Amino acid sequence: MRRSSPLGRFLIYLVLTVGAVVMAFPFYWMLATSLKSPQEAQQARPIWIPERLKASNWRVAWSLGAEAGSSWWGGFGPQQSVTLKLYAPPGPVPQVMVPSPPGAFSDPRSEQTRVQVSYQGDHWAIRFTNPSSEHFRTLPAVILISKEYPSYTPELPPDAIRSSGDDWRLEYVNVAPGLLGYIFHNYLEAWYAAPFARYFFNSFFTAGLQVLGGLFLAVLAAFALARIPFPGKSWVFGLILATLMIPGEVLLIPNYVLLARLEWIDTYYALIVPWLASVFGIFLLRQFYLSLPQDLFDAARIDGASYWTQMFRIALPLSIPGLITYGIFTFLGAYNALLWPLIVTNSPEMRTVQLGLQVFIGEAGSDYGALMAASTVSILPIILGYFIAQKQFIQGVARSGIK
Amino acid sequence: MGLRLSLYLGFLVSTLLVRLLWDLRFAPSWLYAALVLLVVGLGLWTMRGSPALVWVGGLVTLAGLGVGYFNAVASLIALAGLFISYHGWRNHLSEKDQAAFWGWVFVWPALALLVFWQVLPAFYAVWLSLLDRFNFLGPSRFAGLGNYEILLRDPLFWKAMGNTFWFVAFTVPIGIGLAALIAILLNERVRFQGLFRTLYFLPYITALTAAAAVWDWIYNPEFGFLNYLLGTQGLDWLNRPEGIFSLLLAPLGFQLQGFFAGPSLAFVAIMVMTIWHFLGYQIVVLLAGLQNIPREYYEAAELDGASWWQQQWLITWPLLSPATFFLFTLGLIGAFQVFTQVLILTPTGGVLQDTLTVTLYLYNKGFRDSDFSYASAIAVVVFGVILILTLIQQRVLERRVNYET
C-alpha cells in the first residue's frame, strides 16, 4: 500500500478534475452552441444555458406548435393559425412581417401568411394565418415594436433582438416550433440543409462492409500464418511485415490512379476495397491464434476436422475479443476518415458523414448553431457505440499499445 | 508435392493478378501469355500421375485462362478449376501437402489485396515521381530525378518539413508528459476512475473533422470562448503567421527569424487541438503499461524509504518505457500524416502557408494542382525520412527501453 496524505489526495483529485473539465469543455461547448440562437451564440460573454433549454419556454413552444398543427415538431399547417402574445401596456401598434430567410439556409416559407394584430386587455395578440393548402416547416417572423414602450414581454423569447431606428426588431426563426422543433431548431436546419441521411447511410455502409470484409480476410490469413505449416510462410510473413512500413500517404496518389483506371472513382468500391486487407488486423489476430494451445487443434485434426472447420469452430469463437477490437478500430478509422473520401468521391450522393460535414462547414458560414448541431450529430453514433461497448474500446486501445 | 502445389497455386493467382493489371494498362499482354505457359508447365509437373478428376480440373483451369485472354473477369473460372483438381487430389495428399494447399488458399485473398493496393502502388509511386507532371490531362515524359531536384529547393516543402519537426517537438513530449501525469494519478486508485477515463478518452474517438469544427468555433476571433477566457478580444488565433518564439521573446528584445521563430501561432493552436484529441489514447496506453508493473516493486521501495516522487522516477518511468517508446514512434509517424485538422482550421494552409503540413502539401500538389508526379516525389521523400528516423530511433532509443518487468 502506498501512503497518501489527505493533501495529496486532494491534489490528485484537483488535477484530475481540472484536466477532465478541459477535456470535456469542447463537447459541452459544441452541445450548448448547437442549442443556441445565432444571437446567443454570437455574444462576447458566453451564455451558459441557452433560452431553448429553459422549461418555461418549452411550455409556450409546445402550445404554439399545437395551435399550428404539431406540438412536437411544429410547422405551419394548411389553413392553420397561430397566435403569439406580446405582453405590454397599451401603446403604438407593433408591425409584424414574415421575412425572407435570415439564416444561411433557405427553406420555402409562406409568402401569403395573413397577420392580424389586436390588443387584448394586457397583451398584443399577433395572429398568423396560413391561407394556402401547403405545409411549411417553419414560420419566421419579425416584430417591430416601438422603443417608446417602457417594457414588453413576448410570450416566447425572440431569437434575436436588434435596434432598428425608433423600433426594437424582434426576430423569430420559427413562431410555430413545437417542443422538439424549438429545442432542436438548429439540428433541423442542418438536417434539411444537407442530405445527412444519405451521408450516414454511406458511412455506415462502407465502414460496415470494410469491417466485415476485412475481418473475413484477416481471419483467414491470420489463421494460416499462425496455425498451418505451409512452404513459403516466412516469406509471406516478411512481405506483410514490410507492408507495415509503407506510410499511408505514399499510397494516396498511386491508389487514386489505380481507381481511376478501374473507373471506380466516385463509387462505393473506391471507399471500401483499397483498405480491405489490413496488416494490423492480420497481426492482431495472428497473435491471438498463436496464443491458443496446439493440443486443441491436434485433437480436432485427429477427429478429422479440416482446416476450414478448425478455423470456424475452434479459432474463430475463441478470438471474438480480438475480432471486436479489430472491428472497432476499422470502423472508427473508416467512419472518421476525411482525406480518402475527399480524394475519391466527387458527387454529393457519395459523401460520407465526415466529408459532408467538411462541405457543410464551408456552407454554414457563421451559422455556428447549425454547424455545431451537424458536428454533434456526426459524432453521436461513435459516442453511443463507446457507451455500449466501453470495455472493448478501452481494451482495444490498450492492447494496440502493449504488443 | 506440397511445394509444387504451392507454386502452382501461387503462379495461378499471380497470373490472374497480371490479367487485371493488363486490363488497367499496367502490364503487357505478353506477360500474361508467358505466365499462362508457366502455369501450364507447372500444372503438368504437379498433376503427373494424378487421378482423372485432377486433370478435369486442370482442363477447366486452362479453359479459364484461355477465356481470360479476352475477358479479365472470366479468368476467375481458372480458380474453380483449381478446386476441382484439389477435390481429385484430396484422398491422395499427405497431411503436409494438404496444409500447403490450404495455407496458401487462406493467405492468398489478403495477400493479393495487399500486393495490389499497397505493395505495387508503393513502387508505382516511385515510378510516378520520375515522370514529368503526370496527370490525366495530357501525356507525360520521363524526367529522371527532376522532381526531386525541384523539391529539395522548394521553400514550401521545407516549410512543411519544418512544421512537421515542430509538431513532433511540441505534441509528442507535451502529450506524453501530460498523459503520464494523468495516467499515474488515475492509477492511484481514485474514485470515479471510469468517469475520468471516459472524459479523457472521448476526444480520441471523436472524428477530427467535428473536433476541428468545434475548436474553430472556440478560436473564433470575435465570439470565441478562448478569447473570452483570456480576455484577448479580437485575437485571430488561426490567422497569425508570427512564430511563437519570436512572439514570446519580442518583449525581451530578441528578434528571431525564419525557422527559429518557431511554429506560427496558428500552428500552435492546431497543435493544442491535436494534443487534446490524442491525449486520451496516450493515457489509456500508459495506464495499461502502469497496470503491468508489479506492485511488489513499490512495496519494496516503500520499505527502503523511497518517497513517492522517487518511486515514480525510479520505478514507474523506466518500466513504462515500452509504452512511451511506442507512443513516441506513433507520434513521429503521425506527424507526417497531419491533415484533417489543418484543412478544417486553416483551409488554405494559413497565412503565408504557415500551417502547411506534409500531407496537406501533397494533397494540394496532387489534387489541386494536378501534379501527381511532384506529389509522389513528396511521398517518396517522406517515406525515406520516416524510414531513416525509425531506424535511428530503434538504434539509439530502443536500447534504453526496458522491456522486462
Side-chain angles (χ1 to χ4, degrees), chain A residues 1-4 9 11-13 15-20 22-27 29-30 33 41-46 48 217-218 220-221 223-225 228-233 235-236 239-240 243 245-262 264 273-279 282 301 307-308 311 329 332 335-339 342-343 354 357-358 361 368 371-372 375 378-379 382-383 386-387 390 393-394 397-398 400-403, chain B residues 2-3 6 20-21 24-26 95-96 98-100 102-104 106-107 109-111 113-119 121-122 124-125 128 134 136 181-182 185-192 194 196-210 213-218 220 222-223 225 228 233 276 279-281 284-285 288 292 295 298-299 302 306-308 311-312 323 326 336-337 339-340 343-344 359 362-363 366-367 372 375-376 379-380 382-383 386-387:
Chain A
M1 278 309 285
R2 273 176 269 175
R3 69 211 127 110
S4 48
R9 299 298 291 177
L11 279 178
I12 289 174
Y13 282 107
V15 172
L16 284 178
T17 310
V18 169
V22 172
M23 295 302 279
F25 178 77
F27 290 103
W29 200 234
M30 169 163 63
T33 308
Q42 302 189 347
Q43 292 292 321
R45 292 184 132 278
W48 296 98
L217 290 172
L220 282 181
F223 181 78
L225 287 173
I228 305 180
F230 61 93
K233 186 155 99 169
W235 184 82
V236 173
L239 184 79
I240 291 178
T243 316
M245 292 197 306
I246 303 171
E249 58 262 46
V250 174
L251 302 174
L252 290 178
I253 304 276
N255 277 359
Y256 180 83
V257 177
L258 269 181
L259 287 173
R261 293 215 177 159
L262 280 165
W264 277 4
V273 179
W275 312 111
L276 262 187
S278 141
V279 179
I282 296 175
R301 198 81 189 133
Y307 283 117
W308 202 256
M311 187 178 68
F329 266 74
L332 259 185
Y335 183 88
N336 287 350
L338 177 69
L339 180 54
L342 184 65
I343 290 173
Q354 305 308 327
L357 185 63
Q358 191 252 346
I361 289 170
Y368 283 99
L371 182 52
M372 291 299 111
S375 304
S378 81
I379 65 170
I382 298 291
I383 304 271
Y386 171 79
F387 282 110
Q390 197 171 9
F393 265 83
I394 300 279
V397 168
S400 78
I402 288 170
K403 288 292 168 195
Chain B
L3 181 66
S6 309
L20 181 59
L21 291 174
L24 303 177
R25 307 191 303 281
F26 282 116
E95 190 95 337
K96 229 178 107 205
Q98 284 187 18
W102 283 112
W104 278 103
F106 282 12
V107 157
L111 194 63
L113 276 172
L114 279 179
V115 166
F116 188 78
W117 291 107
Q118 301 199 11
V119 178
Y124 187 51
L128 281 179
F134 176 89
F136 297 118
L181 172 74
I182 301 293
L185 293 185
L186 275 180
N187 204 33
E188 289 283 319
R189 302 205 293 158
V190 292
R191 275 161 198 250
F192 313 116
F196 278 125
R197 202 178 49 188
T198 297
L199 287 175
Y200 283 106
F201 189 65
L202 279 187
Y204 173 66
I205 55 170
T206 306
L208 269 171
T209 319
V214 178
W215 280 84
D216 186 44
W217 172 223
I218 289 175
N220 186 292
E222 289 167 276
F223 314 115
F225 186 81
Y228 163 76
Q233 183 64 32
W276 169 82
L279 193 65
Y281 179 81
V284 171
V285 168
N292 278 349
R295 291 227 163 252
Y298 294 101
E299 284 159 16
E302 195 96 345
S307 74
W308 188 83
Q311 289 177 26
Q312 302 311 322
F326 168 76
F336 287 92
Q337 296 175 335
F339 175 78
T340 305
L343 185 77
I344 303 289
T359 304
L362 192 155
Y363 172 78
F367 298 98
F372 286 178
S376 293
V380 171
V382 168
F383 186 11
I386 291 180
L387 207 62

